[in-house]
Amino acid sequence: MFNVIRQFFSLTSKKLKYKTFYIFAIFLVAIFLESASILSISPIFKYLDNNKNFSGGVYENYVYDLSLILNIEFLNLMIIISLIVLFISTIIVFLCNFVLNKYRYELTYYLSNQLFKKYIEINFENFTKKHKSFYLNNLTNEINRVSGGIIFSILNIYTRSIYILCLTSILFFVNKSLLFLIIIIFFSYYLLIYLYYNDKIRIYGQKLISENKDRIEIFTDTFEGFKDVRSYSLLEKIFSKLLFNSKKLSHYFAFIDILNFSIRFFLEFLIFFIILLLIYLSTNDLIHYDIETVVLFILIGLKLLPSTSLVYNSYLNYINNLPSFENIMQEFKFLKKISKNKNLDFEFNDSTYKEYEEIKSIKLRNLSFGYGEKQIFENVNLTLKKGEIIGLVGASGSGKSTLINLLAQFYEPSNGELIINGKNSKFIDINFFWKITKVVDQNYFFFQDTIINNIFFNKKRKFSEYKKLFNFIISFKLVDNKNQIVKFLKSKFGKNFNLSEGQKQRLSILRALMFYPQFLILDEPSSAIDFKNLEILKKEIKKVSSEMIILISTHDENLFNIFDRIYTIKNKDLVDASIS
């Protein structure tokens, strides 16, 4: 458990580390006050048992002197003090639970945000190796199980264990032999529970992880293939699969819940049995304990009941969720290993950035790449120059998208070099390269936000840039007339507003141009555009071609007349297929 805490702290910020100790300190104060509230009741019963004859210790003497000063009856003052201590301890306990629960959710979102950031920072090639459901499952289910099932449980175990230790220490000074008898009974009970339940809880925890992952896969696959699901009438099959998954999850959760309930039920039965046994033995003179001892054992027993139950349930929860913790820790370690910036050893300054603000040429030199044993490219050579529009054609699956990902540095070549302005790309900050390179993919990406925010991403721009945007909107025929531009830009995706596939495609290209790229890559830019709008698009591309390098991957022969050169992929190489 200590090793888990150490690993957990390696993932958290200083603020969260300090907060952990802060919460622990508040709980210590709460434990002290709760113990004090129980101890303050004991002298009251002692006083009543002695027929209201005063014969007390330090605490009773202090209260007695205070009662004379305040002119309040001794018994009444003891009751008032007990109520005040009880009220303060209750407020502190409420505060502790509020802070602890808030901490749990802060921790959940912090870990989820950190993991999300790591996923976004990794190489695109590594990102695409796993299904989206894998990432969603880790960011939601697994992180929740780590924060709630592991860290929350550990805090409960430590704080409640200290509380139990404080209460049993009080009983130790009251009656050692009786306390040891109770400890032996409880230890035997928990040992039997541990031997029977421990492995079962861990196995069911692993099953829950697997089934939750399958459930998210069902959802993501269905949403991504929505059209195919409907056209092939797959809904019944998917729903049947979902119902089967739901039954298994319900069974696993119910089994774990009934285990926790049975432990608490038998524990309550055991404590009440001990209390009733003490009362019976005492009233029948089989054992001789004064009323103060019996009441103290009963009060502390009632306090220990939820605490011991919480400690053991937290331990079972910890065991149940330990596979999730191990999974997330392995994920963080793996991401740290693969996401090391290849340019960390290179020092950047203003002159370095200035050198690459204008990309004059991009070259592939003896570049090779493959997926596992399948080789896609072998010793490819290519030169792209500023002011050129290069066409990339070829059959589906020939490697056009792979080449785009290599040129955009989403993939890393297995061999060879990507050279920019005469220098190896390894010595250029990847984030800076992406800042001046724009890729318009076939899958259009838009936030559920206004069109203007989807173009500028909430960044303020100069008046001249807004003027340029207005001109582009008119040129790309996204509105019928100038009077509609403002309304169009304020329109929000998802709220009774959407665009056609052709409009989305043109808007994606427009957005890329508004960021003044030095290297523009368009993947099938005419796939959703009719002939009339295609001619407009070609005209706009020609206008800006002198300012950048443009690479267009396409099957559309209507685009061929704007290409300076055309390349096709054959036999794992690029072949010049330019049309004169």
Side-chain angles (χ1 to χ4, degrees):
M1 199 173 285
F2 285 107
N3 186 45
V4 168
I5 295 171
R6 182 182 60 79
Q7 291 182 70
F8 158 69
F9 276 143
S10 71
L11 300 179
T12 58
S13 62
K14 283 186 178 181
K15 184 180 178 181
L16 277 173
K17 288 175 187 175
Y18 291 142
K19 200 161 193 174
T20 306
F21 294 114
Y22 163 71
I23 290 168
F24 198 75
I26 293 178
F27 264 100
L28 291 178
V29 173
I31 289 166
F32 171 77
L33 289 170
E34 279 202 80
S35 303
S37 67
I38 294 170
L39 287 172
S40 66
I41 295 171
S42 178
I44 296 172
F45 287 96
K46 183 179 179 181
Y47 180 69
L48 294 172
D49 190 42
N50 291 334
N51 296 317
K52 296 187 177 181
N53 292 320
F54 176 75
S55 59
V58 176
Y59 171 72
E60 288 90 336
N61 286 327
Y62 174 78
V63 175
Y64 182 76
D65 292 339
L66 190 61
S67 68
L68 294 175
I69 295 169
L70 299 174
N71 195 23
I72 300 173
E73 190 178 334
F74 177 65
L75 179 61
N76 292 341
L77 185 58
M78 282 201 295
I79 292 171
I80 291 168
I81 291 172
S82 294
L83 288 173
I84 291 171
V85 175
L86 181 63
F87 176 76
I88 294 171
S89 66
T90 303
I91 294 296
I92 295 294
V93 168
F94 270 111
L95 176 65
C96 283
N97 282 289
F98 170 77
V99 171
L100 186 59
N101 280 289
K102 186 182 177 185
Y103 170 78
R104 173 189 172 178
Y105 293 115
E106 285 180 354
L107 179 62
T108 300
Y109 296 129
Y110 174 83
L111 291 176
S112 183
N113 293 346
Q114 291 301 307
L115 187 58
F116 175 74
K117 185 182 177 185
K118 294 287 184 185
Y119 282 145
I120 297 301
E121 287 176 346
I122 64 174
N123 185 284
F124 183 70
E125 181 187 351
N126 286 309
F127 181 80
T128 54
K129 286 178 180 177
K130 294 175 182 175
H131 195 272
K132 291 176 185 176
S133 61
F134 172 84
Y135 300 114
L136 288 172
N137 184 55
N138 281 346
L139 290 168
T140 53
N141 290 331
E142 296 295 271
I143 288 292
N144 275 322
R145 288 166 69 86
V146 168
S147 60
I150 297 294
I151 308 307
F152 197 69
S153 294
I154 289 174
L155 281 170
N156 278 330
I157 289 168
Y158 282 134
T159 54
R160 289 291 106 184
S161 295
I162 293 171
Y163 182 55
I164 291 167
L165 185 63
C166 288
L167 294 182
T168 50
S169 298
I170 294 169
L171 297 180
F172 178 81
F173 291 106
V174 173
N175 193 300
K176 297 181 183 66
S177 58
L178 183 58
L179 175 62
F180 286 134
L181 176 63
I182 293 171
I183 287 173
I184 290 168
I185 294 170
F186 272 87
F187 179 78
S188 303
Y189 170 76
Y190 278 117
L191 182 62
L192 289 171
I193 293 292
Y194 175 81
L195 293 173
Y196 181 74
Y197 285 131
N198 191 58
D199 289 339
K200 289 182 174 61
I201 290 287
R202 189 176 178 88
I203 290 167
Y204 272 83
Q206 290 171 335
K207 289 180 177 180
L208 279 173
I209 291 172
S210 177
E211 290 303 321
N212 272 320
K213 185 180 176 183
D214 290 346
R215 190 173 183 82
I216 288 179
E217 278 183 8
I218 293 169
F219 291 144
T220 52
D221 286 345
T222 304
F223 291 147
E224 286 180 2
F226 184 86
K227 293 178 182 178
D228 289 331
V229 168
R230 299 307 298 269
S231 63
Y232 288 102
S233 302
L234 298 174
L235 189 58
E236 188 176 339
K237 182 181 178 180
I238 290 169
F239 201 70
S240 173
K241 191 176 179 182
L242 191 62
L243 283 174
F244 182 68
N245 172 267
S246 301
K247 285 179 181 178
K248 290 170 82 172
L249 279 172
S250 300
H251 173 74
Y252 297 150
F253 276 119
F255 183 82
I256 290 171
D257 287 343
I258 201 67
L259 285 183
N260 290 331
F261 174 77
S262 62
I263 291 166
R264 182 172 180 178
F265 173 79
F266 288 118
L267 180 62
E268 288 175 357
F269 177 81
L270 185 63
I271 289 176
F272 278 111
F273 173 78
I274 292 170
I275 291 171
L276 292 172
L277 182 65
L278 283 173
I279 294 171
Y280 173 78
L281 294 173
S282 182
T283 52
N284 288 279
D285 295 325
L286 296 174
I287 56 173
H288 300 283
Y289 296 123
D290 55 61
I291 187 72
E292 180 188 9
T293 302
V294 174
V295 168
L296 198 59
F297 266 83
I298 291 172
L299 286 173
I300 291 178
L302 292 172
K303 285 283 186 180
L304 286 174
L305 172 61
S307 294
T308 49
S309 179
L310 179 61
V311 166
Y312 199 74
N313 284 337
S314 295
Y315 174 72
L316 292 179
N317 202 24
Y318 169 82
I319 295 297
N320 176 32
N321 291 291
L322 199 55
S324 293
F325 180 80
E326 291 166 352
N327 172 39
I328 291 298
M329 285 306 303
Q330 287 175 1
E331 194 67 6
F332 269 108
K333 287 176 183 176
F334 172 73
L335 291 170
K336 185 178 180 181
K337 182 180 178 181
I338 66 171
S339 64
K340 287 181 178 178
N341 193 326
K342 61 182 179 180
N343 303 310
L344 283 178
D345 296 329
F346 190 73
E347 186 177 340
F348 298 101
N349 51 50
D350 292 339
S351 61
T352 305
Y353 287 123
K354 191 173 181 181
E355 184 180 349
Y356 293 99
E357 280 178 0
E358 181 185 356
I359 297 181
K360 295 176 182 178
S361 67
I362 297 175
K363 292 182 181 181
L364 299 181
R365 182 183 291 169
N366 299 324
L367 184 139
S368 298
F369 179 82
Y371 299 104
E373 295 181 0
K374 184 182 178 182
Q375 198 70 12
I376 307 298
F377 294 110
E378 284 185 1
N379 299 319
V380 171
N381 291 282
L382 173 69
T383 300
L384 307 175
K385 295 179 180 179
K386 183 177 180 178
E388 287 185 325
I389 304 175
I390 305 299
L392 181 63
V393 300
S396 295
S398 60
K400 296 194 302 296
S401 295
T402 301
L403 185 64
I404 285 172
N405 286 324
L406 285 163
L407 284 165
Q409 294 197 70
F410 292 137
Y411 288 177
E412 290 184 17
S414 51
N415 284 303
E417 296 175 295
L418 173 65
I419 299 169
I420 301 169
N421 290 356
K423 289 189 178 179
N424 193 307
S425 62
K426 291 180 180 179
F427 301 104
I428 300 173
D429 181 8
I430 187 69
N431 292 310
F432 179 71
F433 176 78
W434 285 335
K435 187 177 178 181
I436 58 176
T437 300
K438 292 294 169 282
V439 179
V440 180
D441 202 82
Q442 294 182 60
N443 300 313
Y444 324 118
F445 170 73
F446 296 103
F447 289 109
Q448 296 296 301
D449 202 343
T450 61
I451 288 178
I452 186 69
N453 286 339
N454 269 290
I455 294 172
F456 290 143
F457 302 114
N458 299 95
K459 294 179 180 178
K460 291 183 178 180
R461 294 297 186 103
K462 297 176 181 177
F463 175 78
S464 58
E465 291 180 278
Y466 283 103
K467 187 177 179 181
K468 180 181 178 181
L469 173 61
F470 279 39
N471 290 332
F472 270 139
I473 290 171
I474 295 296
S475 299
F476 277 82
K477 300 292 183 184
L478 289 169
V479 294
D480 294 328
N481 57 69
K482 292 180 180 180
N483 297 330
Q484 295 176 336
I485 292 177
V486 174
K487 184 181 178 182
F488 173 75
L489 290 173
K490 289 183 177 179
S491 300
K492 190 173 184 179
F493 281 101
K495 287 200 172 184
N496 301 319
F497 173 81
N498 212 336
L499 298 174
S500 68
E501 291 301 303
Q503 287 175 313
K504 287 179 181 177
Q505 195 166 42
R506 281 175 278 153
L507 185 61
S508 296
I509 296 169
L510 179 154
R511 176 172 60 188
L513 294 174
M514 287 304 301
F515 278 83
Y516 306 96
Q518 286 294 300
F519 184 24
L520 177 64
I521 301 173
L522 304 177
D523 190 5
E524 299 292 351
S526 61
S527 60
I529 298 176
D530 58 33
F531 182 78
K532 184 179 178 181
N533 283 309
L534 177 59
E535 291 303 310
I536 294 169
L537 176 63
K538 286 160 62 176
K539 184 180 177 182
E540 293 301 320
I541 290 172
K542 286 292 285 182
K543 276 184 186 178
V544 299
S545 62
S546 62
E547 302 170 12
M548 62 190 75
I549 298 171
I550 300 177
L551 176 72
I552 300 177
S553 170
T554 185
H555 288 94
D556 192 347
E557 292 184 5
N558 291 312
L559 280 167
F560 286 11
N561 59 3
I562 66 166
F563 296 153
D564 296 301
R565 281 178 290 143
I566 300 175
Y567 286 90
T568 187
I569 300 170
K570 287 183 181 179
N571 300 322
K572 304 173 188 177
D573 197 2
L574 285 175
V575 178
D576 193 339
S578 300
I579 301 173
S580 56

